């Protein structure tokens, strides 16, 4: 560790002296002076229990004071605007790789021909429980990593040496639906940005780790949280909130990256008299949900930001919110200069299955009837793979990417689903509804897209549920779900097997056809990474990192990581050597809900593999 400020408090004299002797640490190696507590009663004998009780580490922020990095300079807007294939492959500057959100690396040496040369290089622990869902950033030879519970860490991307670390101090009464995840940080200039579980957005100096500003998004105790990386557009950091299960009024904000001041806020549920208000019966819009908890994407040519929204509230009982419930389960096109909506498209009107529209958006050129259209494509949580004209929001097509889909019977020409009445939630449900509430592809993970092959690689949960309607009563800051799914596929069948399973599906995004599927015995709940060399990287719930042939789906590389994989793999290149980073670390509650393995312990670990030049 390079010249980091540290402090240790509350060490008894005998324990401190014994510790210095046992671990060989001289006083000059410890920059701050420890506080000395009362002398230990062990009579000079080192008692491990005394050590554990006496050593209290109160430090939560370790600052770097030494020069680091490869002198590449600040990250500019032009660098963020450049396509991944046109920028340095040594970097991974955005959650989705670049603004296309395609998570497609230009590194050609990550290929099926030399995948056997991809070996473990270094690792790093998260030190936390809950899903290690991160998509790391790499710039200037430095990796920026976030963990569950909002640790932010800077590492040497070549060796894993830690430069600085910040542990965000969380309140004891967080309002979380689905685990303490954070999916990554963002970068612009010499600043690193992170959103937090207690609904704040923070900025740090990327070299030292010193905090530059701290802005409250909204009071967390009202039901809000933030779990995704901010989207950097021009001089704005755009971040959305979670809270759909708490009856919040969803929104996403834009903050000035230099000052932390809020520039605009876009609500995803209309107020009285605003367009879309008429799609909510009574005053149900006041607790309408529609959270904006995943990261959006930006088209610099059209100057439009695209953001998705989640379920209306309450989730499984729509009796008090009759209507389509705009703008829940939708994609919104936003003018980033004003925060005003330009167009919208709704995937699941009047959602009563918790089919958030928040799953990963790709930008791709789609050929339709001989015409090339600038499109958004998405594997929606509701089981349909959509193509939407991103210039005007017009529906192009939607096809099922799942093997089990029965909540809707078909799709109307305008893209409105034709609902299966038997799939509606009830007090005593009997129909096994597919997909279950997790999807499909869940918004907590990211797919990838290879424009050369014309394929999108989608991680899929094949797990169905009974949808049970319940009583809905709103109390601010408390869960407001109006029912709950029953995870019938999490119970063994007559043969003792779990019905839930998963696959990676390669979807031809020009037609919606399935090119191939890789099957896994458990739901796929990790992101994917595509490479120009023709590989797809992902991970399994059983704790394996996987490399697939992008053209066939064949497994060409497999490594045991330990814990179930919930992260988003990335690739980068330094000194001509290619690296792949993937983190393991599951969240048992969600694994059980999906019908996955809950026997593997929690705890996060980052693994970095390398092919030498």
């Amino acid at each position: 560790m390079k010249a980091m400020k540290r402090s240790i408090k509350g060490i008894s004299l005998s324990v401190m002296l014994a510790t210095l002797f046992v671990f060989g640490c001289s006083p000059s190696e410890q920059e701050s002076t420890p506080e000395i507590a009362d002398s230990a009663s062990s009579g000079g004998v080192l008692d491990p229990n005394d050590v554990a009780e006496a050593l209290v580490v109160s430090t939560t922020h370790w600052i770097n004071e030494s020069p680091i990095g490869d002198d590449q300079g600040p990250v500019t807007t032009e660098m963020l605007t450049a396509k991944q294939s046109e920028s340095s492959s040594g970097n991974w500057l955005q959650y989705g790789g670049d603004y296309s959100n395609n998570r497609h690396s230009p590194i050609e040496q990550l290929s099926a021909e030399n995948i056997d040369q991809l070996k473990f290089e270094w690792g790093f622990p998260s030190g936390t429980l809950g899903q290690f869902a991160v998509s790391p950033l790499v710039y200037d030879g430095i990796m920026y990593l976030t963990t569950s519970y909002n640790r932010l860490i800077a590492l040497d991307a070549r060796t894993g040496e830690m430069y600085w670390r910040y542990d965000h101090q969380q309140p004891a009464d967080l309002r979380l639906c689905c685990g303490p995840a954070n999916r990554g940080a963002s970068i612009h200039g010499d600043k690193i940005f992170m959103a937090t579980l207690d609904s704040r957005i923070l900025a740090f100096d990327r070299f030292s780790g010193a905090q530059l500003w701290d802005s409250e998004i909204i009071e967390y105790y009202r039901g809000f949280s933030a779990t995704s990386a901010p989207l950097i557009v021009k001089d704005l950091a755009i971040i959305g909130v979670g809270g759909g299960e708490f009856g919040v009024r969803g929104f996403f904000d834009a903050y000035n990256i230099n000052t932390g001041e809020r520039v605009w806020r876009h609500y995803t549920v209309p107020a009285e008299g605003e367009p879309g208000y008429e799609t909510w019966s009574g005053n149900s819009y006041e607790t309408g949900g529609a959270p904006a908890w995943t990261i959006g994407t930006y088209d610099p040519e059209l100057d439009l930001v695209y953001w998705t929204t989640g379920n209306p509230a309450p989730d499984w009982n729509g009796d008090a919110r009759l209507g389509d419930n705009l703008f829940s389960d939708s994609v919104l096109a936003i003018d980033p200069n004003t925060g005003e909506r330009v167009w919208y498209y709704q995937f699941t009107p009047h959602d009563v299955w918790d089919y958030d529209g928040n799953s990963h958006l790709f930008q791709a050129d789609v050929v339709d009837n001989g015409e090339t259209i600038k499109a958004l494509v998405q594997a929606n949580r509701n089981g349909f793979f959509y193509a939407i004209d991103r210039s005007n929001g017009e529906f192009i097509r939607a096809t099922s990417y799942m093997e089990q889909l029965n909540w809707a019977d078909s799709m109307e020409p305008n893209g409105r689903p034709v609902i299966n009445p038997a799939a509606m939630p009830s007090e005593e449900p009997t129909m096994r509804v597919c997909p279950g509430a997790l999807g499909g592809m869940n918004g907590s993970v990211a797919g990838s897209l290879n424009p050369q092959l014309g394929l999108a690689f989608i991680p899929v949960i094949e797990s169905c549920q009974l949808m049970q309607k319940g009583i809905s009563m709103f109390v601010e800051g408390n869960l407001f779900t109006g029912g709950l799914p029953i995870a019938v596929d999490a119970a063994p069948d007559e043969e003792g097997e779990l019905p839930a399973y998963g696959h990676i599906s390669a979807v031809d995004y020009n037609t919606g056809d399935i090119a191939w599927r890789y099957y896994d015995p458990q739901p796929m709940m990790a992101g994917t990474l595509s490479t120009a060399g023709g590989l797809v990287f992902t991970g399994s719930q059983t704790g394996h990192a996987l490399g697939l042939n992008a053209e066939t789906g064949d497994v060409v590389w497999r490594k045991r990581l330990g814990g179930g994989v919930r992260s988003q793999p990335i690739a980068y290149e330094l000194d001509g050597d290619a690296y792949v980073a993937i983190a393991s670390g599951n969240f048992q509650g969600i694994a059980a809900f999906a019908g996955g393995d809950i026997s593997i312990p929690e705890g996060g670990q980052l693994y970095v593999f390398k092919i030498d030049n």
Side-chain angles (χ1 to χ4, degrees):
M1 235 181 289
K2 294 190 177 180
M4 300 172 66
K5 292 182 180 177
R6 294 161 289 185
S7 62
I8 300 179
K9 298 181 180 179
I11 307 177
S12 68
L13 180 60
S14 61
V15 170
M16 183 184 72
L17 293 175
T19 303
L20 291 175
F21 173 78
V22 171
F23 294 103
C25 175
S26 67
S28 62
E29 291 177 305
Q30 181 63 53
E31 291 184 25
S32 55
T33 303
E35 292 183 4
I36 306 302
D38 293 337
S39 179
S41 58
S42 58
V45 179
L46 180 63
D47 185 339
N49 293 317
D50 285 342
V51 174
E53 292 297 326
L55 188 65
V56 178
V57 179
S58 60
T59 309
T60 60
H61 197 174
W62 290 259
I63 300 292
N64 171 57
E65 295 180 336
S66 296
I68 60 174
D70 295 342
D71 296 321
Q72 291 187 18
V75 173
T76 65
T77 297
E78 290 72 25
M79 293 168 65
L80 293 177
T81 303
K83 295 180 179 179
Q84 183 83 346
S85 59
E86 299 170 354
S87 62
S88 169
S89 58
N91 300 321
W92 190 275
L93 293 178
Q94 299 196 51
Y95 177 81
D98 59 21
Y99 281 136
S100 74
N101 235 17
N102 289 342
R103 302 192 67 83
H104 180 67
S105 168
I107 301 176
E108 295 183 354
Q109 64 173 316
L110 289 170
S111 66
E113 286 70 32
N114 62 0
I115 188 68
D116 289 341
Q117 301 174 38
L118 186 63
K119 306 296 184 182
F120 174 76
E121 182 68 10
W122 58 266
F124 196 86
S126 73
T128 59
L129 299 178
Q131 60 267 52
F132 195 6
V134 67
S135 178
L137 300 177
V138 176
Y139 178 67
D140 198 23
I142 306 170
M143 177 181 288
Y144 300 96
L145 186 73
T146 63
T147 76
S148 55
Y149 294 105
N150 291 121
R151 286 182 174 172
L152 175 61
I153 304 168
L155 306 171
D156 185 322
R158 294 176 177 86
T159 67
E161 178 184 2
M162 188 171 78
Y163 292 138
W164 56 262
R165 168 180 157 192
Y166 168 79
D167 292 2
H168 187 66
Q169 298 305 287
Q170 307 284 359
D173 58 342
L174 289 170
R175 304 304 202 263
L176 304 180
C177 152
C178 311
N182 183 276
R183 283 174 282 279
S186 302
I187 187 170
H188 187 282
D190 287 327
K191 299 182 182 69
I192 298 293
F193 307 90
M194 178 179 70
T196 68
L197 294 171
D198 59 343
S199 296
R200 309 190 76 85
I201 181 169
L202 317 176
F204 300 84
D205 180 276
R206 74 178 185 90
F207 295 110
S208 68
Q211 189 174 114
L212 302 176
W213 51 258
D214 174 351
S215 296
E216 182 182 59
I217 300 171
I218 197 168
E219 301 93 335
Y220 74 90
Y221 52 81
R222 296 170 56 188
F224 293 93
S225 58
T227 56
S228 286
L231 178 69
I232 307 301
V233 176
K234 303 177 184 179
D235 61 350
L236 302 174
I238 305 176
I239 186 67
V241 293
E245 279 64 53
F246 292 85
V248 304
R249 185 187 180 197
F251 63 85
F252 49 99
D253 285 349
Y255 292 85
N256 183 294
I257 59 175
N258 297 310
T259 66
E261 295 179 358
R262 194 176 85 198
V263 178
W264 51 255
R265 170 167 291 177
H266 186 95
Y267 282 103
T268 59
V269 177
E272 184 173 356
E274 294 179 347
Y277 161 75
E278 70 283 356
T279 66
W280 297 83
S281 59
N283 65 344
S284 60
Y285 66 93
E286 295 177 352
T287 54
W293 56 275
T294 56
I295 191 170
T297 184
Y298 172 61
D299 185 333
E301 293 182 3
L302 297 175
D303 197 21
L304 289 176
V305 166
Y306 306 99
W307 216 274
T308 53
T309 65
N311 60 278
D315 301 53
W316 293 280
N317 187 339
D319 293 350
R321 54 171 174 86
L322 299 179
D324 283 355
N325 306 141
L326 292 174
F327 296 91
S328 67
D329 285 22
S330 299
V331 55
L332 312 178
I334 302 296
D335 181 343
N337 305 296
T338 64
E340 294 180 357
R341 186 176 62 252
V342 177
W343 58 256
Y344 77 92
Y345 173 82
Q346 188 175 40
F347 301 106
T348 310
H350 191 69
D351 176 15
V352 288
W353 305 274
D354 194 21
Y355 289 154
D356 288 23
N358 299 105
S359 50
H360 192 80
L361 287 173
F362 306 104
Q363 295 185 42
D365 290 340
V366 169
V367 178
D368 182 55
N369 294 322
E371 179 185 1
T372 299
I373 301 172
K374 292 182 180 297
L376 294 174
V377 294
Q378 185 208 51
N380 195 273
R381 187 155 150 179
N382 68 16
F384 286 99
F385 188 89
Y386 289 84
I388 308 294
D389 188 322
R390 69 175 184 263
S391 67
N392 55 27
E394 290 185 1
F395 173 76
I396 300 173
R397 74 172 63 87
T399 56
S400 174
Y401 64 92
M402 300 189 65
E403 293 190 320
Q404 304 175 85
L405 192 159
N406 61 14
W407 71 275
D409 295 325
S410 60
M411 191 71 64
E412 295 180 4
N414 64 356
R416 189 181 182 90
V418 178
I419 307 301
N420 177 357
M424 296 292 289
S426 64
E427 286 81 1
E428 298 181 1
T430 58
M431 179 178 172
R432 181 172 166 269
V433 178
C434 307
L438 292 176
M441 177 179 164
N442 194 276
S444 62
V445 300
S448 57
L449 183 147
N450 185 323
Q452 284 73 46
L453 297 178
L455 298 176
F457 306 107
I458 307 303
V460 182
I461 301 167
E462 294 276 1
S463 179
C464 307
Q465 295 172 328
L466 303 180
M467 301 291 183
Q468 187 171 49
K469 182 195 292 187
I471 297 172
S472 58
M473 179 179 297
F474 177 75
V475 177
E476 186 176 67
N478 290 348
L479 286 171
F480 181 57
T481 61
L484 199 68
I486 301 172
V488 289
D489 282 12
D493 58 20
E494 295 178 355
E495 286 75 35
E497 301 292 331
L498 291 175
Y501 65 99
H503 49 85
I504 302 295
S505 285
V507 182
D508 183 329
Y509 57 79
N510 284 296
T511 64
D513 296 335
I514 305 299
W516 52 257
R517 295 194 206 270
Y518 158 76
Y519 288 94
D520 199 87
Q522 296 200 28
M524 298 301 291
M525 301 175 71
T528 68
L529 165 72
S530 171
T531 76
L535 294 175
V536 178
F537 288 95
T538 189
S540 72
Q541 286 289 285
T542 52
H544 291 91
L546 301 171
L548 311 177
N549 185 307
E551 296 189 31
T552 66
D554 294 333
V555 178
V556 294
W557 183 80
R558 181 192 298 265
K559 296 293 181 183
R560 163 70 71 178
L561 302 185
V565 183
R566 295 291 300 279
S567 66
Q568 334 300 324
I570 69 160
Y572 58 99
E573 197 170 51
L574 293 170
D575 310 317
D577 301 330
Y579 296 78
V580 174
I582 182 170
S584 73
N586 210 347
F587 180 50
Q588 290 177 321
I590 296 296
F593 197 58
D597 192 341
I598 59 172
S599 64
I600 301 175
E602 292 188 27
Q605 180 77 23
L606 178 72
Y607 295 83
V608 177
F609 299 88
K610 185 178 87 166
I611 293 179
D612 290 329
N613 182 17

